[in-house]
Amino acid sequence: MRIDILTVMPDLLESPLNYSVVKRARNKGLVEINIINLRDFTKDRHRSVDDYPFGGGAGMVMMIEPVFDAIGKLTGERGYDEIIYTSPDGEPFNQKMANHLSLKNNIIILAGHYKGIDQRIRDHLITKEISIGDYVLSGGEIPAAIITDAIVRLIPGAIGDEQSALSDSFQDDILAPPLYTRPADFKGWKVPDILLSGNMPEIEKWRHEQALERTKKLRPDLHKED
Ligand code: SAM
């Protein structure tokens, strides 16, 4: 899989995508992630990629030309399954969407900035708009990193034990069960006996019951009767 992220702040993305599961997936060649500086596509001598909004008003607007040229260069080299724009008014991001996107070959993510981007980019170049939540951040870099992380951990081989990604919260609309590790007794706070029993079928049953309980209690909107 290949993910190309277009941004005016490449440094903001370097660190989040260079640790842990994502770093290992990149090193193993499971995913190629390119962070592309939109300023490399501006003809402006000050490398500006924003301008004043037509009609006036507060804030600057990301210009269409550098975005058009950057996307044009990429799509001239290969086909893309999705060209995503991160936006507070986009489709809410969730695990289902991450699962779906992890099956794609090539995607572009455009991280917006300033007051927003020229509407013509959205109308003519973008195929999907994603929001990471009902709040407004200063830029799309953190949303792009979140979307990329959620996708990459689902690529087969990215996580050592594949079961681990499949048993995460939200897979099958159910939250994850509680986890414990050593010591079995910490200052009298004990690990449930069942987890020390070695009886795998009973442990699995207990985990499923716990996951259901937690889902009913914490996220009743996700819970469906079996
Ligand atoms: N004026 C815009 C509005 O009210 O919808 C917000 C612009 S925001 C300051 C700048 C950029 O951050 C956006 O273009 C978008 O790419 C990104 N962004 C901010 N909040 C986001 C969110 N919740 N989900 C995805 N992207 C977001």
Side-chain angles (χ1 to χ4, degrees), residues 176-186 188-197 203 206-211 213-214 217:
L179 297 170
Y180 298 88
T181 187
R182 288 188 295 172
D185 185 340
F186 178 72
W189 299 341
K190 294 201 174 107
V191 169
D193 288 340
I194 181 75
L195 295 177
L196 310 175
S197 69
I203 290 173
W206 179 86
R207 284 188 170 142
H208 185 66
E209 285 163 4
Q210 290 287 316
E213 275 314 302
R214 283 164 68 86
K217 189 168 155 216

Side-chain angles (χ1 to χ4, degrees), residues 85-88 111-117 130-133 135-140 143:
Y85 169 52
T86 65
S87 181
H113 224 92
Y114 315 110
K115 184 72 182 163
I117 67 172
I130 301 179
S131 165
I132 61 151
Y135 40 79
V136 176
L137 300 166
S138 311

Side-chain angles (χ1 to χ4, degrees), residues 78-181:
R78 68 194 64 75
Y80 281 86
D81 303 294
E82 293 286 8
I83 303 179
I84 296 165
Y85 169 52
T86 65
S87 181
D89 57 8
E91 200 182 328
F93 190 56
N94 58 24
Q95 193 65 28
K96 255 187 204 79
M97 207 190 286
N99 286 337
H100 190 68
L101 290 171
S102 74
L103 301 173
K104 305 287 183 194
N105 288 324
N106 301 321
I107 61 177
I108 294 173
I109 306 178
L110 169 63
H113 224 92
Y114 315 110
K115 184 72 182 163
I117 67 172
D118 190 309
Q119 182 61 35
R120 291 167 293 183
I121 300 171
R122 304 175 70 169
D123 292 345
H124 300 288
L125 302 174
I126 298 299
T127 61
K128 191 175 187 64
E129 300 192 335
I130 301 179
S131 165
I132 61 151
D134 287 348
Y135 40 79
V136 176
L137 300 166
S138 311
E141 287 73 19
I142 293 169
I146 287 172
I147 293 164
T148 302
D149 186 305
I151 293 172
V152 170
R153 57 183 287 107
L154 292 166
I155 299 173
I159 292 185
D161 174 5
E162 260 181 56
Q163 263 320 102
S164 169
L166 297 179
S167 60
D168 277 343
S169 288
F170 304 112
Q171 296 289 359
D172 301 324
D173 287 337
I174 192 165
L175 301 182
L179 297 170
Y180 298 88
T181 187

